[in-house]
Amino acid sequence: MYPKKIANDTAEVIQNYLTYQAVRIILDQLSETNPKQAIWLRQYTASHNIQKGESFIEGLMGEDKELVMRILKVREYLASEVMEFMPQMVRHGISQANMEHRRQLLERLTRSSSVSSTSSESENDDSNPNCD
């Protein structure tokens, strides 16, 4: 395992996701306050890869610096609010999901084991003519 590499990759995914969420929030705000700019940003977002947050922001810098500053502020705010709870929430979520998956797996294993042993017993009963 490579924990530092995994941590870096995870941080990048979260950063990209927070950028995406910041853009969504700003789109919602602009829809109410400046519909024309909201349409423009929606079209820009549709034609540029927002999944790579930093590249998206760099491209947007050439188009609308004010929007870039707004995205940076919102994403920084989201990061400060969200990241405090993330480690505990992720650990808890994985723990709960793993427990549920293990429960389902155990149910399937015991179900298939009981089906196998039931069919084995019935085969033994059918093949032994002296059981009467």
Side-chain angles (χ1 to χ4, degrees), residues 16-35 37-39 41-42 45 50 56 67 69-82:
N16 289 333
Y17 184 71
L18 291 176
T19 302
Y20 164 77
Q21 287 295 333
V23 170
R24 284 189 58 199
I25 289 168
I26 291 167
L27 277 169
D28 288 345
Q29 292 169 347
L30 287 174
S31 294
E32 294 178 16
T33 60
N34 189 343
Q37 193 174 26
I39 292 168
L41 182 57
R42 193 168 275 114
T45 302
I50 196 167
F56 177 83
L67 270 177
M69 291 303 292
R70 195 166 173 177
I71 291 168
L72 296 179
K73 286 179 188 177
V74 171
R75 126 177 133 160
E76 189 170 357
Y77 170 78
L78 290 174
S80 69
E81 292 297 309
V82 170

Side-chain angles (χ1 to χ4, degrees), residues 37-111:
Q37 193 174 26
I39 292 168
W40 181 88
L41 182 57
R42 193 168 275 114
Q43 289 172 342
Y44 183 86
T45 302
S47 63
H48 293 80
N49 186 4
I50 196 167
Q51 292 179 343
K52 297 290 183 184
E54 300 315 304
S55 298
F56 177 83
I57 288 172
E58 288 172 15
L60 187 58
M61 274 186 215
E63 302 290 329
D64 192 328
K65 291 169 186 56
E66 190 176 307
L67 270 177
V68 169
M69 291 303 292
R70 195 166 173 177
I71 291 168
L72 296 179
K73 286 179 188 177
V74 171
R75 126 177 133 160
E76 189 170 357
Y77 170 78
L78 290 174
S80 69
E81 292 297 309
V82 170
M83 294 312 297
E84 180 181 337
F85 306 105
M86 285 293 294
Q88 181 181 357
M89 290 174 77
V90 170
R91 282 189 208 102
H92 179 74
I94 287 175
S95 176
Q96 291 297 312
N98 284 353
M99 187 169 32
E100 180 62 22
H101 292 305
R102 287 182 182 118
R103 184 189 62 76
Q104 290 174 3
L105 183 59
L106 183 60
E107 286 176 358
R108 287 180 185 173
L109 289 172
T110 54
R111 196 174 317 130

